[in-house]
Amino acid sequence: MKWMDEASAGAILKALLSRGGDFAEIYGQTNQYTRIALDDGKLEEIVSGEDAGISLRLVSEDRTFFYSGNDLAPETLLREARRLAEAVEGSTPGRMAVLKKHDIPVVSPVSVLPESVPMGRKVELVRRAEKAARSAGETISQFSASYGDSVLDIGVANSEGAFSRETRVYTTLFGSAIARRGDQIRTGYHSLAETRGFELFDQHPPEEVGREAARIAMVQLDAKPAPAGTFTVVLSSKAGGTMVHEACGHGLEGDFAEKSLSIYAGKLGQQVASSLITVVDDGTLPNKRGSTGMDDEGMPSSRVLLIENGILKSYLHSRRTATKLGHAPTGNGRRESYRHLPIPRMRNTIILPGASDPAEILAGVAEGIFVCQMGGGEVDIASGNFIFNVGEAYMIRGGKIAEPIRDATLIGNGPEVLSSIDAVGSDLGFGVGTCGKDGQRVPVADAQPTLRIPRIVVGGTVAAAE
């Protein structure tokens, strides 16, 4: 993106604030992308292109005025800035600081830019993943894969003096395998996704995606229906941090806290989890999917301590929610694109490792359920109640992993479950995803160590033995 110079940005911001207002902002973005989709041996989609646009934002008390478009010409933006300013019924210009360039640290080094890689090599990735999946076993009847890369060039200028720019590189490979035996049809999936260039596949060959997706699908063919009842559950670090993201993280986003829509609203300083639990949201971890040098409002990324030894310490804030609640911004103002307003979002949300040996945690369970992969689910942020599907799980018998089970769900309440955890492992495993909220999707990661939940309701199809 040909980002504007300071003089042009200053003129546009002054036009926005010409009749008053508390805050004005210019956000520009160029996205160079590639998408490849393969389904059962056929290439269904190969798309590459570029999308560029810019937005203007004017905040006056509780009102926000917004414009977005693809015309990047300064004269167009000046015209739209004046039009937005007309919505403010004032005559005294708003305050504006001198624009100053900020050096944004490179959080995620990139060795091989996706644009330097021929399309043929990218197509080869999905075909290699498929070959590995089909070679994993004769029961694999179908495989689909998708590759994506994105180079985002972001520019932010605002009336508080920010004039910042950052390039972000995302690379992903996703695979989904279907295993079939008679009438039984089971699905497994696996994905790689980081803020890294094409060198991602030097460390993680595409065969890894195919084999893992196929393995999970085939395990499900041999799995028995999950029992229903209340069990001790050990969440493996392999399960990633779906639970902390969904059952805890969203409730700590500042807009929900501001509107008292979260069960965590008004509980700063209170015990909301076991004393073994410490949770952070960290946008500074190299190459993790939620990492950036700055947020989408030009604030530096940081490591936010959310829960420390079970005590609620902070929420995640955009500029607006931080101002509203009188808290310091945390650098969590994120948006899907220039077409959207920034809102508080997670980045890399993590339950930090504890002191227990993961093997000893498992050995301490006479009978229970060992969860290796979480699926989707639903959370009521106001009450904290959740239900999650389980992608891969096993029975625990005599402290050891026993037979695989299928079609299990975990049903509980976020604060109650976090408060009940009685063992936290010394390991740590990451999961990746794309988080949806208010119609916006942003890349995230989450992580957790091995956790033991003494009692949680498991939804299954077989009554548990008395």
Side-chain angles (χ1 to χ4, degrees):
M1 178 178 66
K2 189 175 184 299
W3 182 230
M4 62 186 65
D5 57 33
E6 290 161 271
S8 298
I12 294 166
L13 292 170
K14 284 182 180 178
L16 281 168
L17 293 167
S18 58
R19 299 183 62 178
D22 304 309
F23 177 76
E25 177 194 70
I26 308 167
Y27 174 87
Q29 174 186 300
T30 296
N31 181 18
Q32 294 178 300
Y33 60 88
T34 301
R35 294 195 302 269
I36 299 172
L38 177 142
D39 186 19
D40 219 15
K42 298 180 181 178
L43 286 171
E44 297 286 346
E45 179 183 56
I46 301 179
V47 178
S48 65
E50 179 177 304
D51 179 30
I54 205 160
S55 64
L56 307 176
R57 179 165 57 130
L58 174 61
V59 179
S60 178
E61 298 180 341
D62 287 335
R63 298 182 301 170
T64 297
F65 307 97
F66 185 76
Y67 159 86
S68 69
N70 299 105
D71 189 344
L72 310 184
E75 56 271 22
T76 300
L77 298 174
L78 267 174
R79 183 182 69 243
E80 295 299 333
R82 293 181 183 120
R83 189 171 64 84
L84 284 183
E86 290 175 0
V88 178
E89 298 172 353
S91 57
T92 303
R95 297 179 60 181
M96 180 175 159
V98 175
L99 293 180
K100 182 179 180 182
K101 286 186 178 179
H102 294 270
D103 294 328
I104 303 302
V106 177
V107 172
S108 299
V110 172
S111 300
V112 183
L113 280 171
E115 65 195 59
S116 69
V117 179
M119 186 66 77
R121 286 192 63 196
K122 298 176 183 179
V123 171
E124 184 185 352
L125 291 177
V126 294
R127 293 207 179 280
R128 286 171 60 188
E130 179 181 42
K131 183 178 180 181
R134 292 189 181 279
S135 300
E138 295 179 351
T139 55
I140 298 300
S141 62
Q142 191 172 341
F143 182 79
S144 60
S146 59
Y147 165 87
D149 61 50
S150 174
V151 179
L152 284 174
D153 194 4
I154 307 288
V156 178
N158 66 39
S159 57
E160 295 180 352
F163 190 79
S164 304
R165 188 169 178 177
E166 180 182 29
T167 298
R168 305 168 185 168
V169 178
Y170 298 91
T171 304
T172 65
L173 180 63
F174 173 83
S176 174
I178 293 178
R180 181 190 297 266
R181 182 187 296 144
D183 295 334
Q184 286 283 335
I185 299 175
R186 296 292 161 185
T187 302
Y189 61 87
H190 187 64
S191 59
L192 299 171
E194 294 191 359
T195 47
R196 193 187 295 271
F198 209 73
E199 71 273 16
L200 170 65
F201 304 108
D202 295 333
Q203 299 179 18
H204 301 281
E207 286 81 2
E208 177 181 321
V209 169
R211 290 192 195 103
E212 183 64 3
R215 184 194 66 77
I216 294 171
M218 290 188 295
V219 165
Q220 300 306 304
L221 282 182
D222 297 324
K224 296 181 178 179
T230 301
F231 291 88
T232 296
V233 167
V234 175
L235 287 179
S236 166
S237 61
K238 292 181 181 177
T242 299
M243 180 170 288
V244 69
H245 178 99
E246 298 289 354
C248 174
H250 278 301
L252 299 178
E253 290 171 335
D255 45 355
F256 293 124
E258 170 205 351
K259 299 170 185 173
S260 297
L261 296 177
S262 164
I263 194 171
Y264 296 103
K267 293 187 177 179
L268 285 177
Q270 297 183 27
Q271 190 90 31
V272 296
S274 161
S275 60
L276 297 174
I277 297 296
T278 294
V279 180
V280 301
D281 185 80
D282 194 342
T284 68
L285 299 174
N287 301 119
K288 295 304 179 187
R289 184 162 163 79
S291 296
T292 58
M294 66 176 186
D295 71 0
D296 295 325
E297 299 183 288
M299 294 293 298
S301 283
S302 63
R303 180 183 174 96
V304 183
L305 180 60
L306 295 170
I307 297 173
E308 184 178 35
N309 300 326
I311 306 296
L312 181 59
K313 293 291 186 179
S314 178
Y315 302 115
L316 300 172
H317 285 302
S318 63
R319 286 176 180 269
R320 191 194 67 77
T321 60
T323 301
K324 193 74 175 179
L325 293 178
H327 300 166
T330 59
N332 288 85
R334 304 184 69 189
R335 57 184 119 197
E336 180 175 316
S337 77
Y338 61 89
R339 300 181 180 90
H340 303 85
L341 283 167
I343 53 178
R345 306 298 296 269
M346 288 173 272
R347 298 165 303 187
N348 306 305
T349 311
I350 304 165
I351 295 179
L352 296 184
S356 299
D357 182 337
E360 292 181 1
I361 292 175
L362 178 67
V365 179
E367 182 179 30
I369 292 174
F370 185 72
V371 175
C372 294
Q373 187 188 60
M374 299 288 287
E378 296 180 8
V379 177
D380 179 357
I381 293 172
S383 66
N385 293 332
F386 65 77
I387 178 168
F388 291 129
N389 299 314
V390 174
E392 182 184 3
Y394 300 80
M395 291 301 299
I396 302 172
R397 301 189 190 283
K400 297 181 179 178
I401 295 175
E403 72 274 17
I405 58 174
R406 56 178 165 82
D407 301 328
T409 57
L410 299 182
I411 304 166
N413 175 277
E416 290 178 5
V417 167
L418 286 178
S419 296
S420 71
I421 289 171
D422 65 358
V424 178
S426 56
D427 53 349
L428 187 68
F430 278 84
V432 295
T434 299
C435 176
K437 175 184 171 184
D438 292 352
Q440 297 193 44
R441 292 163 59 82
V442 296
V444 297
D446 43 49
Q448 66 167 57
T450 296
L451 303 171
R452 185 169 64 205
I453 305 169
R455 290 175 59 83
I456 186 170
V457 174
V458 176
T461 57
V462 177
E466 295 293 335

